[in-house]
Amino acid sequence: MTRRPVHRVAIVGTGTIGASWATHYLVRGFDVTATDPASTAEAALRSYVDAAWDTAASIGLVPGASPERLTFTTDLAQAVGDADFVQENAPERPELKVKLFAQLDDASPPDTILASSSSGITMSQIQAECRRPERTVIGHPFNPPHVIPLVEVVGGTRTSAETIRDTMSFYEEIGKKPVLLKKELPGHVANRIQAALYREVVHLIQEGVLDVADSDDVVSWGPGLRWGVMGPNLLWHLGGGAGGIEHFMDTLMPRMAASWQELGTPEFTPELKETIVAGVQREADGRSIDELAAWRDTMLSALLAVRAQDGPSGPPPAAGERKTETS
């Protein structure tokens, strides 16, 4: 089956994630129709797009892209009636998602892909009442979508292989880094990985090993810098020295595996909550959420620009495969 060409994207739900998705699609040259029932949604959405535009444009502006190609309606059926791709971003409530996707299924063209940004609910749950569940899929971004390339893609039990294939291709075409999950599981993958890290961070804070600001520094000035370049498996390949990953697995991995038993399972008490809140407020040092977010996105866009010099798929090619540069 030939994939439906995408010219118009519908954004369903325009909170933080939906507004960020809308910005990304606009910067990539699509017509975007957004819908949300909240009375203040349109004003908040347009304000978000205006504020995020320069950062998003620095990463991937295409000719003809404009915030003027954004339209808004509170009518759900109208928003998706002529959509070529739907990106849903409603609150994380299973019963709401099930009802909403049944409505999207009825109101949208039958060959339009319906993608959910759900961070924790599986598509098998969400598609339960759809008449055409084969075209429904999870397309879970990492926040904020107009900056972070990652999108986790996973279907439900009734999602077709063609939908998975076409969704992966579409996200890649619009500058995302789609990763296909081979199995459904609550929370998908990226959130589970960061939850595992944060559990140990919270444990160390609770045990008095270090304070909140220092725990952030340990991550962002240590492993976080390396993770911005390559993932843990490839990093351990380097950690193995001349013997690479095989040497690491033979000599260092057994010690690391043994240490897993020592990792903490903190008890989230009111006292721990207050410790973290107070520590974060000191670390923020009076800077607003918007100011911190803008600084984060500026730094991330600079990192992405550096990474783009070597291509989007990882480290540069081997020496014999490098392209020659002309002066």
Side-chain angles (χ1 to χ4, degrees), residues 12-32:
V12 179
T14 59
T16 301
I17 298 299
S20 182
W21 263 126
T23 304
H24 179 78
Y25 285 120
L26 288 165
V27 161
R28 289 287 167 166
F30 294 95
D31 294 314
V32 175

Side-chain angles (χ1 to χ4, degrees), residues 65-232:
S66 170
E68 299 301 318
R69 296 174 69 174
L70 171 66
T71 58
F72 185 92
T73 177
T74 56
D75 187 324
L76 178 67
Q78 179 181 343
V80 304
D82 60 352
D84 303 310
F85 191 90
V86 175
Q87 189 80 48
E88 173 271 324
N89 317 276
E92 288 288 290
R93 300 201 303 270
E95 69 284 355
L96 172 63
K97 297 276 194 186
V98 170
K99 180 180 179 181
L100 177 58
F101 258 70
Q103 293 173 323
L104 295 175
D105 189 26
D106 287 339
S108 60
D111 54 350
T112 295
I113 291 176
L114 307 179
S116 175
S117 297
S118 177
S119 61
I121 307 170
T122 65
M123 183 45 66
S124 290
Q125 292 176 279
I126 296 172
Q127 67 185 195
E129 296 182 6
C130 291
R131 292 187 297 114
R132 290 179 288 265
E134 67 279 358
R135 43 87 166 253
T136 64
V137 65
I138 295 289
H140 173 240
F142 220 55
N143 191 37
H146 71 276
V147 177
I148 303 293
L150 177 66
V151 183
E152 297 174 308
V153 177
V154 59
T157 55
R158 296 189 289 167
T159 303
S160 71
E162 290 78 15
T163 294
I164 296 292
R165 178 200 65 204
D166 291 348
T167 301
M168 291 287 292
S169 296
F170 173 64
Y171 281 139
E172 189 169 8
E173 289 167 6
I174 63 169
K176 307 304 286 184
K177 180 65 175 178
V179 174
L180 177 62
L181 309 189
K182 298 178 180 179
K183 295 182 179 180
E184 288 185 291
L185 71 171
H188 314 312
V189 170
N191 279 336
R192 293 173 70 100
I193 291 172
Q194 70 174 2
L197 171 66
Y198 195 54
R199 181 178 72 175
E200 185 61 16
V201 167
V202 170
H203 167 70
L204 295 171
I205 293 171
Q206 189 170 54
E207 292 297 305
V209 177
L210 74 179
D211 63 23
V212 172
D214 285 341
S215 72
D216 280 348
D217 284 344
V218 165
V219 174
S220 65
W221 287 100
L225 281 176
R226 300 194 305 189
W227 292 333
V229 177
M230 60 181 67

